[in-house]
Amino acid sequence: MPKSDQIIELRFTRSRQAVVMMAWGVAFWLISVAFMATYYHNFHRQAWWWIVVPAVPALVFCWLAWNHLRHPYLVLTRVGLEIYPFFLPARNMHLVLWQQIARADVSTTPPLLTLTRADQEDGKIFITLAPLQPRQRQLLARALEGVQEMREKVSAEKVPVP
């Protein structure tokens, strides 16, 4: 495959949130193991189903961590910016084309990506960058600056000189 035909994309995941979810999952799993140990080694046994009570949130948190690592949060492609929400990311993905974006700004406090729509003067899309690590935010800002510079360069070349 020629180099120009390769699809180049930049993916940002919710890895920061996945670590927190996995920590909560492990904590609940350890509570379940502690209930199991006290069930088998205690003369006054509690009900066996107390083992299952913390195991359910443990499975939910581990599933969420796996889901956060598997699905991206933001993807920059040649076509545009793909935004994946927290719930049902594969089904509810939103694509914003580069032609629809007039300007993209990344602010540090609060970590926020602001996309100004080209078709509406006051239309903006706000995306929180809290799930991204600070170095990922810097990379995203540099990538968006590069895309804007490339768009300005291409539009300047296409304008005919009278």
Side-chain angles (χ1 to χ4, degrees):
M1 177 180 288
K3 198 170 195 176
S4 63
D5 293 341
Q6 293 177 352
I7 297 173
I8 299 171
E9 63 181 28
L10 189 57
R11 305 180 125 225
F12 297 96
T13 62
R14 297 178 188 264
S15 59
R16 189 176 191 184
Q17 287 178 327
V19 171
V20 173
M21 295 293 175
M22 186 56 77
W24 277 103
V26 168
F28 275 107
W29 187 254
L30 290 176
I31 292 170
S32 180
V33 169
F35 281 161
M36 186 172 53
T38 59
Y39 176 74
Y40 286 115
H41 298 294
N42 196 352
F43 294 114
H44 306 290
R45 292 187 176 181
Q46 75 270 16
W48 64 270
W49 51 268
W50 277 103
I51 299 169
V52 178
V53 171
V56 171
L59 291 174
V60 169
F61 279 120
C62 289
W63 177 81
L64 277 172
W66 174 253
N67 196 26
H68 286 332
L69 289 175
R70 193 177 65 187
H71 293 291
Y73 179 52
L74 294 172
V75 179
L76 275 71
T77 63
R78 289 184 180 188
V79 177
L81 181 67
E82 297 175 5
I83 306 164
Y84 292 87
F86 187 81
F87 294 108
L88 301 172
R91 187 184 318 165
N92 297 330
M93 185 266 302
H94 183 69
L95 175 66
V96 181
L97 302 174
W98 292 121
Q99 292 85 3
Q100 295 174 334
I101 301 172
R103 211 169 94 228
D105 298 318
V106 177
S107 63
T108 56
T109 53
L112 195 66
L113 171 63
T114 306
L115 302 174
T116 305
R117 304 263 321 214
D119 54 349
Q120 300 171 355
E121 189 173 305
D122 59 346
K124 294 187 182 215
I125 300 172
F126 298 101
I127 304 166
T128 181
L129 298 179
L132 301 181
Q133 297 174 359
R135 58 190 163 115
Q136 290 177 324
R137 293 180 205 146
Q138 293 172 356
L139 179 62
L140 177 65
R142 286 187 58 201
L144 290 173
E145 287 172 7
V147 168
Q148 288 178 352
E149 288 174 6
M150 183 64 71
R151 288 179 61 200
E152 290 172 2
K153 183 179 175 183
V154 168
S155 65
E157 290 176 358
K158 290 185 177 180
V159 175
V161 178

